[in-house]
Amino acid sequence: MRGNRTDEILLLCTPSFRLVVVTSVEQIPPRTLPPLTSRTPVDRVPAPLLVLGAMVSIHLGAAVAKQMFALAGADVVACLRIVVAGVIALLLWRPTLRVRRRALPGIAGLGISIAAMNLSFYAAIERIPLGVAVTIEFLGPLTVALLGSRKIRDALFALLAGAGVLLLMDSGGQMSWTGVLFALLAGAGWGAYIACGAVVGQHTAGHDGLALAMAFSGVLVLPFLVTQGGSALLNPILLAGGAVVAVCSSLVPHAVELTVLRRIEASVFGVWMSLQPAVAAVAGLALLGEGLRAAQWAGVATVVAAAAGSAYSAADRRRGDVAIEAEHAMTDSAPRDPTAAAR
């Protein structure tokens, strides 16, 4: 914290393109977004159910994508999802092309990280169970959240997450280390997405920066999609599946985020989203028949505990910074005793 504002960035990890960045300021409002002026049926659904629904939608999209690998391969399906999601972002958010020059490197970096993250993730789930891949990938944002912290408890959270990943390796057979490597690369891409997203959020308004980055990511992978997809792109099942994946993994979670973040504090949302590895493991079991061993379920639970603890710790630090800042503001604004100097 410097001066009279808090520079901490609260990271909410959401694979709808995996990030909502909220920069805290002097007076943090009780809700991240302004309340809606009119209520819809969705607004009557309890916030925890909405968050759970968003996570289920995300991993339903991943399960559908994995079923599509037989039609065109993981790399083509990933590129198709990126292109379709970019088109949806442009149509939905209609971003302005007039952006600050300072925002351009961040937008480019965000687009590259989106492509790398999704290509690596789909390559990972082609080789290892969905729950294992998501849990390993979750190390990316968790590492970003822990970087720069000097708290002993945060170091313990990092060790806890590492122990959870070691438990995930107990597959009862040969683990695809290539899949593990791709999951780690996806986590690194997720971390890069967070860093670039913070820069883009500082220099663009609304969803303009994210939409342009998603469109740029689609442009990057479009040549590969056309050359490698070939006649498979004429398959209506593949095209329909790509649309379903883009909607389930991008559009639905984003809409839920906007609704939920108007009703609860961002820190609470971050803790809830820490359940994603567990939801992914259940989705893999229910939708893909990917069972995990007891040790692997323990690993998933361990990483979830580490992520939730890290999110709560970050929120606790933020509350402490705000309290200190409020105390300083009260001290600075208090009337001074004119006789103090004489005494």
Side-chain angles (χ1 to χ4, degrees):
M1 187 170 64
R2 296 289 184 274
N4 59 358
R5 75 184 293 273
T6 304
D7 292 328
E8 179 184 356
I9 295 177
L10 180 62
L11 305 174
L12 307 182
C13 308
T14 56
S16 52
F17 273 107
R18 291 189 162 80
L19 178 70
V20 175
V21 181
V22 180
T23 305
S24 54
V25 294
E26 264 186 308
Q27 299 293 332
I28 297 179
R31 297 291 181 264
T32 303
L33 298 175
L36 292 171
T37 55
S38 61
R39 293 178 63 82
T40 66
V42 175
D43 296 320
R44 298 185 179 91
V45 178
L49 290 182
L50 285 176
V51 174
L52 179 61
M55 289 188 284
V56 170
S57 178
I58 289 166
H59 300 303
L60 173 62
V64 171
K66 189 163 184 173
Q67 298 284 10
M68 294 165 57
F69 292 169
L71 298 176
D75 50 357
V76 173
V77 172
C79 291
L80 179 62
R81 178 259 174 94
I82 294 169
V83 170
V84 173
V87 172
I88 290 176
L90 291 178
L91 295 176
L92 180 65
W93 296 323
R94 301 177 186 178
T96 178
L97 297 180
R98 296 181 179 179
V99 296
R100 299 177 184 176
R101 185 175 299 178
R102 294 179 180 179
L104 295 179
I107 291 174
L110 193 59
I112 293 171
S113 65
I114 287 172
M117 175 176 59
N118 285 279
L119 284 167
S120 299
F121 179 69
Y122 279 32
I125 63 175
E126 185 181 29
R127 295 167 172 82
I128 59 178
L130 176 63
V132 175
V134 171
T135 305
I136 295 174
E137 185 194 27
F138 216 75
L139 295 180
L142 181 58
T143 299
V144 172
L146 294 174
L147 283 176
S149 174
R150 296 184 177 88
K151 300 289 186 180
I152 295 179
R153 61 181 176 183
D154 288 333
L156 294 177
F157 291 142
L159 292 175
L160 189 63
V165 171
L166 290 178
L167 289 172
L168 287 173
M169 299 301 104
D170 182 11
S171 62
Q174 185 176 2
M175 172 65 71
S176 172
W177 290 101
T178 304
V180 172
L181 177 60
F182 276 122
L184 289 172
L185 289 175
W190 195 346
Y193 178 92
I194 291 173
C196 294
V199 175
V200 171
Q202 292 174 358
H203 298 293
T204 59
H207 298 98
D208 287 358
L210 179 58
L212 292 174
M214 291 171 66
F216 178 64
S217 181
V219 170
L220 287 178
V221 303
L222 183 59
F224 180 86
L225 175 64
V226 173
T227 56
Q228 297 299 315
S231 60
L233 296 178
L234 301 178
N235 187 336
I237 297 178
L238 180 66
L239 297 177
V244 169
V245 171
V247 169
C248 288
S249 296
S250 298
L251 183 59
V252 170
H254 173 76
V256 170
E257 289 162 13
L258 289 180
T259 300
V260 172
L261 286 171
R262 287 186 172 100
R263 294 162 54 182
I264 65 172
E265 293 184 3
S267 57
V268 176
F269 182 79
V271 173
W272 287 354
M273 291 303 293
S274 301
L275 292 173
Q276 279 207 65
V279 175
V282 173
L285 176 62
L287 302 176
L288 300 171
E290 297 176 341
L292 301 181
R293 292 166 60 86
Q296 290 178 302
W297 282 107
V300 170
T302 301
V303 173
V304 166
S310 175
Y312 182 83
S313 177
D316 188 51
R317 288 196 303 271
R318 189 183 67 160
R319 286 191 294 267
D321 289 343
V322 172
I324 293 174
E325 192 164 310
E327 183 179 347
H328 288 170
M330 291 179 62
T331 302
D332 293 340
S333 61
R336 298 184 180 278
D337 184 355
T339 63
R343 292 199 300 268

